[in-house]
Amino acid sequence: MQFGRIEYSLRNGASKRQVILTLIGQSDEDILRREGLRALRLRRILRLTHEAEEQGALLSYEDLSALLLCSVST
């Protein structure tokens, strides 16, 4: 497993699925410095949902809030 990546378990009813997601990307620090926290959050959400979709899974709002350590409303 590479730095910044995790194996995440998605639950859909009784079924369980594992996906590999990149929490910390190589360009995250540059995005934070140039564009700010809001832009970094958006990039991370897009990256996580895209990676999950490539693996045949969908992330819920609850999944995203758990992965990004924020509230669902954020």
Side-chain angles (χ1 to χ4, degrees), residues 4-15:
R5 296 178 61 100
I6 66 162
E7 186 172 330
Y8 184 71
S9 297
L10 292 164
R11 292 183 189 268
N12 185 4
S15 66

Side-chain angles (χ1 to χ4, degrees), residues 3-59:
F3 174 78
R5 296 178 61 100
I6 66 162
E7 186 172 330
Y8 184 71
S9 297
L10 292 164
R11 292 183 189 268
N12 185 4
S15 66
K16 187 176 175 183
R17 181 182 193 109
Q18 303 278 39
V19 292
I20 305 295
L21 301 171
T22 306
L23 283 180
I24 303 170
Q26 292 180 342
S27 63
D28 284 1
E29 191 174 318
D30 291 334
I31 293 167
L32 179 60
R33 192 173 334 116
R34 284 184 289 118
E35 302 175 43
L37 186 57
R38 184 172 185 221
L40 177 59
R41 278 193 196 120
L42 179 58
R43 288 284 177 102
R44 283 183 172 166
I45 290 169
L46 292 173
R47 181 176 58 232
L48 292 169
T49 55
H50 180 72
E51 288 178 355
E53 184 179 34
E54 285 179 337
Q55 297 172 62
L58 293 174
L59 296 175

